[in-house]
Amino acid sequence: GRANSGFVNTLTALLQNDVITYLARLFTSICLATSFLGVSLGLSDFLADGLQVAKKGRGNLIIYSATFLPSLAIVLVDPKIFISALSYAGIY
């Protein structure tokens, strides 16, 4: 379910140190953000190359819409589907 939150909660209960808890939360947040950024940039470049659309002006809007809108729609409809897809992707 919530692996990062569980990790930080366990760390907080064991160490009872607010500074370490803050650093652990900061670290996990940075890890998630950089992972999301890397995957997003890779997917947008893949779509731009595959669809032969220049990543300038209107083409940029099309590529980034194709990158982010499908996953946003899935998350808004049913977040469990997105979490399930992430768990399957983690297996591979």
Side-chain angles (χ1 to χ4, degrees):
R2 299 179 62 158
N4 289 335
S5 298
F7 168 71
V8 173
N9 290 339
T10 303
L11 192 63
T12 302
L14 289 174
L15 299 178
Q16 297 179 355
N17 188 336
D18 292 336
V19 174
I20 293 177
T21 301
Y22 173 76
L23 290 175
R25 287 182 190 203
L26 180 67
F27 179 74
T28 56
S29 297
I30 290 172
C31 288
L32 289 172
T34 56
S35 174
F36 179 75
L37 180 64
V39 169
S40 299
L41 289 173
L43 179 60
S44 65
D45 286 341
F46 173 76
L47 289 174
D49 290 343
L51 299 174
Q52 297 177 350
V53 175
K55 287 179 65 176
K56 295 180 182 175
R58 187 175 179 156
N60 212 8
L61 179 66
I62 292 169
I63 292 300
Y64 286 120
S65 295
T67 300
F68 294 112
L69 289 180
S71 59
L72 178 64
I74 290 170
V75 167
L76 291 176
V77 171
D78 188 7
K80 292 178 185 176
I81 294 172
F82 190 73
I83 299 298
S84 176
L86 285 178
S87 66
Y88 285 119
I91 292 171
Y92 295 109

